Amino acid sequence: MKYKTWRVFHGILAMLFISIAAWHVIDLGRHSNFAMSIYITMLAAGGIMLLLKTYMFKKSKKTSEV
């Protein structure tokens, strides 16, 4: 498996596990109230967004002209 393929596969699995873990905590958590559910959802969404940002938007190498 090529590195790029592994990286994409790993990212997809990470997003899947983050989503399942957040659902598990919200649905089955004993100490989960509405505010905590919002907080967990925001953390999970933020993590997924950072992962997508890392994979989708690559930094371009800038050439410096002097």
Side-chain angles (χ1 to χ4, degrees):
M1 188 182 295
K2 293 181 181 179
Y3 174 72
K4 187 173 182 175
T5 306
W6 166 249
R7 187 173 166 163
V8 170
F9 180 66
H10 189 261
I12 291 170
L13 282 178
M15 288 187 287
L16 178 69
F17 286 130
I18 288 170
S19 301
I20 291 171
W23 169 78
H24 174 76
V25 169
I26 291 170
D27 189 44
L28 302 175
R30 291 184 298 171
H31 307 291
S32 181
N33 56 20
F34 183 71
M36 191 62 143
S37 297
I38 296 293
Y39 181 66
I40 291 167
T41 304
M42 287 174 42
L43 285 177
I48 290 172
M49 295 302 289
L50 285 173
L51 187 65
L52 289 173
K53 179 184 171 196
T54 301
Y55 286 174
M56 297 294 180
F57 302 111
K58 304 235 181 210
K59 293 181 181 179
S60 63
K61 294 182 180 179
K62 294 184 179 181
T63 58
S64 60
E65 295 181 25
V66 179

